[in-house]
Structure formats: C-alpha cells, structure tokens
Amino acid sequence: MTVPDVALLSPYLRETIELLGEQDPLRVMASTPSWIAAKIEGCSHLMLSRPEAPGRWSVREVVAHLADAEVAFGWRARILLTADRPALTGFDESAWMTRFDSANAELHESLAAFTALRAWNMRVWSCATDADLDRVGVHAERGPETFGFVRSLVAGHDLRHRRQIDRILQAPH
C-alpha cells in the first residue's frame, strides 16, 4: 500500500495516522459503534450534552459528527473503488455541525445512523483487494490519497474521537 510520507502530513493527519499505529483499520472501524454504545450506557443526558470545554463538542456532537463523517467516508470509499483517480471532496465539519444543529441531535438516533452506515460501509472497506489499496483519488485539499491511506485515516479518525469521548466523560462535573 502506498501511503504519503508521514513527515509531510499536516499535524492533524499525522497524529490521526499515528493513533492507528499497527492496529488493523478494519477491526478498529468495526468495533467503534459498539465501543460508543458501551461508553454512553448509563450516562445522564446532561453528561452527554456537556461540551468538553467552551467552543468544543459534547459527546452528543461527537456522535452526530461521526454519523455525518460516515456519509462522506462511505462516498470516498465507493468512488475510489469504482473510478480512476476520482476527485475526493472535503467537507466543513463545523459548517455541518452548525447547519444540521448537531448540538441538539438525538444521541441515540445519531448512534443508530452511525451504526447502520458503518455496517453498510464495512462491506465496501472490507471488499478491497491488495491491489485496491493502491487505488488513488485526489482529495480537494490534500492531493493524491490511496484507498489504503483513506481507510487508515478513517480508523484513526475513530480513535481520535474515542479519545475525545473518554476525555469528555472523565472530566470533572
């Protein structure tokens, strides 16, 4: 699998890829919905709605973001596997958060959407052959990226937000 030189990645992308390390991206991706469900079980509405800090997200917003991101990631996976050097569009997560009022999204609906989308997308991520891992798309902001890199980035993104959920839930009330 061809991956960009980690040293040339933005700090955000580098940290996201490094969070994954040697873990299997498919295992991380497959386990994230149940990991979230276990983490939020028994938590109060207030705890799940409380932002990490002023201007930061709550668990409710993180899960809504994951559901939104799954739409974009699923599209990227599909287009990478079915087109030659496709354009991979980015999205403004803050604009989506505001426009779709994620702070007030029903958490269990967001988790159900994320869980269903992730299960459907796992079929796509999992069907890739070794040759498919090297298929290239051109991200509008980052340039050429392989299917394998994007898959690892999605898994690292999951781990980034798992860490965020842990911080929010462990913060003193």
Side-chain angles (χ1 to χ4, degrees), residues 60-152:
R60 170 188 307 274
E61 290 166 301
V62 171
V63 177
H65 163 70
L66 287 168
D68 282 345
E70 197 63 20
V71 172
F73 296 152
W75 169 256
R76 288 180 193 158
R78 284 166 176 79
I79 201 73
L80 271 162
L81 291 177
T82 60
D84 292 328
R85 290 188 65 86
L88 305 176
T89 56
F91 68 99
D92 182 338
E93 65 185 29
S94 296
W96 286 27
M97 189 69 61
T98 301
R99 179 69 172 107
F100 306 124
D101 193 23
S102 296
N104 293 306
E106 207 311 303
L107 177 62
H108 294 287
E109 288 177 6
S110 297
L111 181 56
F114 173 62
T115 301
L117 287 165
R118 176 55 63 86
W120 191 245
N121 287 338
M122 286 303 297
R123 297 176 63 252
V124 176
W125 294 113
S126 299
C127 80
T129 65
D130 288 343
D132 288 333
L133 296 178
D134 289 325
R135 292 183 64 86
V136 174
V138 182
H139 192 279
E141 298 156 358
R142 300 188 297 256
E145 294 180 341
T146 64
F147 181 90
F149 175 78
V150 172
R151 189 172 72 178
S152 293

Side-chain angles (χ1 to χ4, degrees), residues 26 47 50 53-54 62 74 108 116 121 162 172:
L26 294 175
M47 177 181 281
R50 184 187 65 232
V62 171
H108 294 287
N121 287 338
R162 286 185 188 195

Side-chain angles (χ1 to χ4, degrees), residues 50-62:
R50 184 187 65 232
E52 183 175 6
R56 304 292 304 258
W57 292 348
S58 66
V59 171
R60 170 188 307 274
E61 290 166 301
V62 171

